[in-house]
Amino acid sequence: MPLILDGKKAAEALAAALQEKVKLWPAALTLSVIQVGARADSNAYIKAKTAFAEKIGVKVELVKFPEDILEEIVTSAVLERNNRTDIQGIIVQLPLPAHWDADVILENIIPEKDVDALTAKNVKNLLAGRAGLMPATAAGILKLLEFYGLPLSGKRALVVGRSLMVGKAIALAFLNQDATVTICHKKTENLAALAKEADILVVAAGRPALIGKDCVKAGQVVIDVGINEVPGGKLDEEIFGRKLVGDVKFDEVSPIVAAISPVPGGVGPMTVAALFSNLLDLVGNLKY
Ligand code: NAP
């Protein structure tokens, strides 16, 4: 059987380390989460963030606006929190209403409080390969691989998915760790053959059962980022309370590969933990 990359276990270890750092901060640390609307998935993600924050001793301020709020009011809420010394990090929960330009809202967050690392300065740092924050899913995967002592340098990595926040961010994070990276998408021809060539296969497509035994080979590390709600999935008690599967046919792929992250309990908990690692990294740069 393969090594199971247990994100809950790795996140627990990270939580313990972060808790120690929080204790060193002389005042309460507060993360502000701004939510527009009340999507069930957003509520679940916020619940997971709040639970992790409680565990490590960080306060979460949840600012909730109705779906029909004016963009200017949300912008004002961000700008006001940029200037508050009692708030160290700001997240605008995505997705925002479909007709809004999320980038316009996000760019109001000062980089010093941009825990999600989605403002232009942080994205440019990632592109340039400079040290700095990166989006939480990419950071969480790096930490998961590190926890299990799996190196990236010199490895051939293949990432399925090219969204800015997830697929591209992971690909860039891997490239910055000296992996040789291929990115795939819907127009990629012969995905299975390409996937088989990789040492590390990361799947972030949001398509249940996309990756089966035809896409993998012995010795590979498989990271399943996908979160898909399906009737027959595994119950995720911690975060969603729903039945979830990833993008990989776990039962079919796991007997073949060397290591694999499950869904739930793989990348999800690490994404939440990495967010707070980002917060503590930001705080570490402050003088007090
Ligand atoms: P997204 O914006 O919908 O992007 C999906 C990407 O996958 C696109 O680039 C798309 O290609 C590609 N894709 C879709 N179907 C494909 C196929 N059949 N073959 C090859 N590529 C395909 O989604 P996202 O925001 O990046 O999220 C991806 C998944 O990760 C979702 O399930 C999401 O819920 C999950 N997620 C998990 C975590 C976590 O913590 N575990 C965090 C964030 C997201 P095109 O560009 O050609 O359309």
Side-chain angles (χ1 to χ4, degrees), residues 35-38 63-71 73-74 96-97 100:
Q35 183 184 19
V36 180
V63 187
K64 275 172 96 87
F65 291 112
E67 181 86 16
D68 59 357
I69 193 79
L70 289 173
E71 287 182 48
I73 295 177
V74 176
L96 287 168
W100 288 24

Side-chain angles (χ1 to χ4, degrees), residues 104-271:
V104 171
I105 303 289
L106 291 173
E107 277 310 313
N108 291 303
I109 303 173
I110 52 170
E112 293 77 12
K113 295 192 180 183
D114 176 24
V115 172
D116 265 334
L118 290 175
T119 59
K121 187 180 172 199
N122 282 321
V123 173
K124 196 171 174 186
N125 278 341
L126 182 62
L127 265 173
R130 285 192 285 265
L133 296 199
M134 65 184 96
T137 304
I141 292 172
L142 291 193
K143 288 179 192 302
L144 185 63
L145 292 172
E146 194 185 332
F147 182 79
Y148 283 99
L150 298 168
L152 276 162
S153 179
K155 302 292 179 197
R156 282 171 306 173
L158 182 129
V159 180
V160 186
R162 58 176 166 180
S163 71
L164 175 66
M165 255 184 92
V166 188
K168 274 185 195 144
I170 296 165
L172 286 165
F174 277 27
L175 182 64
N176 293 342
Q177 297 289 318
D178 298 323
T180 302
V181 184
T182 304
I183 305 177
C184 296
H185 44 79
K186 281 185 198 143
K187 297 278 163 64
T188 299
E189 290 179 6
N190 224 345
L191 174 65
L194 286 172
K196 264 189 168 167
E197 286 172 18
D199 301 311
I200 303 175
L201 173 61
V202 183
V203 194
R207 295 284 179 276
L210 178 64
I211 300 296
K213 60 179 182 222
D214 57 321
C215 301
V216 299
K217 64 171 182 187
Q220 277 183 322
V221 174
V222 178
I223 306 285
D224 192 353
V225 185
I227 296 179
N228 308 291
E229 203 176 334
V230 294
K234 222 175 129 191
L235 186 66
D236 186 345
E237 286 149 2
E238 276 201 350
I239 304 182
F240 295 95
R242 297 187 195 148
K243 303 261 186 177
L244 303 179
V245 294
D247 293 347
V248 177
K249 292 181 188 169
F250 185 89
D251 293 342
E252 193 177 298
V253 165
S254 57
I256 302 170
V257 300
I260 184 166
S261 69
V263 178
V267 176
M270 289 308 288
T271 297

